[in-house]
Amino acid sequence: MPTTANWRAHFPGLAHISADVSEMLDKKAKSAKIAKGTVIFGPGNPAQNLLLLVKGTVRVQQLSEAGREIVLYRVHAGESCVLTTACLLAFEEYSAEGIAETDVEAILISRDDFDELVSVSKEFRAFVFEAYSRRITDLFLVIEEIAFKRMDIRVAQKLLELRGEDSTLHLTHQQLAVELGTAREVISRQLKEFERRNWLTLSRGVIELRDVEAIEALAEAA
């Protein structure tokens, strides 16, 4: 039995499963605590467990042949990892890596138990494939942004997405480049242009937003 109390309450898609399947899930699920910065899975590794996040955030990113990184998506509390789901369903190895962006509490369901649950429970299948469908749509949006959206707009949107309550971001130009799937030099040029306009202030490892309204106006120009 998982040590994380009432873990199924974190996943609305599991609210209507039968009592028998609920009992099966509770018996087969295992809890795990993962420290911030841990590489949970990586390219070439087989998927061993379905990952259901109870607390924390996991960043899933991919490295291109040219050595450029891009963040594909993040798994937040109450979500499952769609790449893990895909690997479990297709018996494929991972093509990207998942990193604990914070300390994480998760529920793990082994490959054999996952196969059994998908086989016997219509509700569990619906939970798995609904999450899969949503994330695939998100990934298409990532592709669309990289291919077609202006870089200045993408940078503005990402700054707003990642800012803290005090409109400060603690990240490097390289980390922002990874978020957007581009080169550090491209990000540095764009940030320096924003700084020239007095929209933000740059210092080592810190970006302080000064004119949030102007950045929001650009972000909404898409």
Side-chain angles (χ1 to χ4, degrees), residues 50-178:
L50 178 67
L51 180 71
L52 304 173
L53 249 64
V54 175
K55 292 183 180 179
T57 304
V58 173
R59 183 177 72 252
V60 179
Q61 61 187 36
Q62 191 165 27
L63 183 68
S64 72
E65 293 183 1
R68 181 176 296 170
E69 291 177 305
I70 180 171
V71 175
L72 299 176
Y73 60 89
R74 285 177 170 83
V75 187
H76 300 285
E79 297 178 343
S80 59
C81 177
V82 67
L83 181 58
T84 299
T85 301
C87 292
L88 288 170
L89 291 170
F91 292 89
E92 295 284 347
E93 295 177 339
Y94 284 107
S95 58
E97 65 177 358
I99 301 171
E101 204 162 49
T102 65
D103 289 339
V104 165
E105 291 184 23
I107 296 297
L108 308 179
I109 299 174
S110 73
R111 173 188 288 277
D112 289 343
D113 293 334
F114 172 82
D115 289 342
E116 181 180 358
L117 285 161
V118 168
S119 175
V120 303
S121 173
K122 176 181 177 181
E123 292 84 0
F124 186 78
R125 285 198 303 273
F127 166 74
V128 168
F129 285 109
E130 181 181 349
Y132 189 87
S133 176
R134 284 199 308 268
R135 189 62 74 185
I136 290 298
T137 300
D138 291 344
L139 289 175
F140 275 119
L141 291 176
V142 171
I143 294 169
E144 180 181 347
E145 286 186 355
I146 292 173
F148 302 115
K149 189 173 289 186
R150 279 170 32 195
M151 182 55 68
D152 59 342
I153 294 175
R154 295 182 62 212
V155 171
Q157 291 173 337
K158 188 59 67 173
L159 290 173
L160 295 172
E161 177 188 335
L162 298 178
R163 63 176 168 158
E165 293 183 359
D166 59 352
S167 294
T168 300
L169 297 86
H170 295 276
L171 79 171
T172 65
H173 295 193
Q174 177 60 39
Q175 289 170 324
L176 189 55
V178 170

